[in-house]
């Protein structure tokens, strides 16, 4: 005879099977994917970006082409392939001269690459740290346009094409 307790089991078993699958899905993330998700989930970095960077770089990260603000999407992560590229990201005026402390700026840079360009990150990407930011931040570029052009050429040699850079073009 079919009793209510059988009904309970009937619901529980598929539930357990589903739970095991969901677990397995999470375990299936690579260490880098989990790191990227964690970096992009930072609400403090999100707020800092919106208040300090988003005015020019936009909430979508697409920048403003007519004002020569480059598009971060599917591009900015490429700079993590070169030590000089990481340094560039810290030393560009909008980042270096922001009001953010070194730890906050590191978090925002991590948030930017993880949110707008995770697929382009270096395979051995390590998050920016306050120490790394503080070490190079004080050194202003004489000419940011020349630095960006040199980096673009080096990335091109690796088969990477960062977004168009129109700053200083006219
Ligand atoms: C007043 C507008 C403005 C603000 C605010 C601003 N930026 Fe920018 N950003 C620019 C412009 C213009 C460029 C291109 C010129 C350059 O490289 O500095 C740029 C370039 C960059 C680049 C290099 C992108 C590339 O593809 O070469 C990074 C990284 C960056 N900004 C980070 C930040 C961060 C982080 C913040 C906030 C803490 C910020 N910016 C705030 C205008 C701004």
């Amino acid at each position: 005879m079919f009793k209510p307790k059988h009904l309970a089991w009937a619901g529980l078993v598929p539930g357990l099977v589903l739970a095991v699958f969901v677990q397995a899905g999470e375990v299936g993330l690579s260490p880098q994917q989990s790191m990227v998700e964690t970096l992009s989930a930072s609400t403090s970095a999100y707020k800092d970006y919106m208040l300090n960077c988003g005015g020019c770089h936009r909430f979508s990260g697409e920048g403003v082409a007519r004002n020569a603000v480059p598009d971060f999407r599917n591009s900015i992560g490429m700079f993590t392939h070169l030590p000089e590229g990481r340094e560039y990201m810290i030393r560009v005026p909008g980042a270096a001269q922001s009001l953010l402390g070194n730890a906050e700026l590191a978090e925002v840079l991590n948030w930017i690459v993880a949110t707008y360009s995770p697929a382009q990150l270096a395979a051995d990407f390590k998050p920016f740290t306050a120490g790394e930011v503080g070490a190079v931040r004080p050194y202003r570029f004489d000419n940011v346009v020349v630095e960006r052009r040199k980096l673009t050429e080096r990335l091109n040699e690796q088969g990477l094409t960062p977004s168009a850079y129109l700053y200083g073009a006219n």
Side-chain angles (χ1 to χ4, degrees):
M1 198 173 72
F2 198 77
K3 294 180 182 152
K5 91 174 178 223
H6 292 131
L7 207 61
W9 276 109
L12 191 61
V13 172
L16 280 175
V17 170
L18 190 69
V20 168
F21 270 103
V22 170
Q23 276 301 121
E26 273 165 10
V27 172
L29 286 185
S30 72
Q32 189 178 41
Q33 283 170 322
S34 323
M35 172 179 68
V36 160
E37 287 200 357
T38 307
L39 295 175
S40 184
S42 164
T43 48
S44 57
Y46 165 81
K47 278 190 212 150
D48 283 339
Y49 175 83
M50 293 308 165
L51 293 173
N52 297 278
C53 323
C56 296
H57 289 279
R58 314 312 299 164
F59 293 175
S60 61
E62 71 184 296
V64 184
R66 68 172 185 286
N67 293 338
V69 183
D71 196 340
F72 284 150
R73 296 171 305 172
N74 302 315
S75 169
I76 195 68
M78 293 177 192
F79 291 89
T80 66
H81 290 247
L82 299 168
E84 297 83 355
R86 293 178 69 109
E87 192 174 324
Y88 165 75
M89 290 179 62
I90 298 165
R91 290 174 63 192
V92 289
Q97 294 170 36
S98 70
L99 297 175
L100 297 171
N102 292 338
E104 287 76 25
L105 181 53
E107 264 203 65
V108 168
L109 292 172
N110 289 328
W111 184 88
I112 287 173
V113 292
T115 303
Y116 299 123
S117 189
Q120 287 73 32
L121 282 172
D124 61 351
F125 171 71
K126 301 270 182 311
F128 289 91
T129 63
E132 178 185 6
V133 167
V136 299
R137 185 177 187 174
Y139 305 102
R140 304 264 166 97
F141 285 123
D142 290 335
N143 189 334
V144 72
V145 180
V146 172
E147 292 303 322
R148 178 40 151 93
R149 190 182 308 137
K150 280 195 266 179
L151 284 170
T152 303
E153 282 167 9
R154 290 187 53 197
L155 290 172
N156 288 344
E157 285 163 14
Q158 296 192 15
L160 300 170
T161 310
S163 62
Y165 187 81
L166 303 169
Y167 191 71
N170 40 17

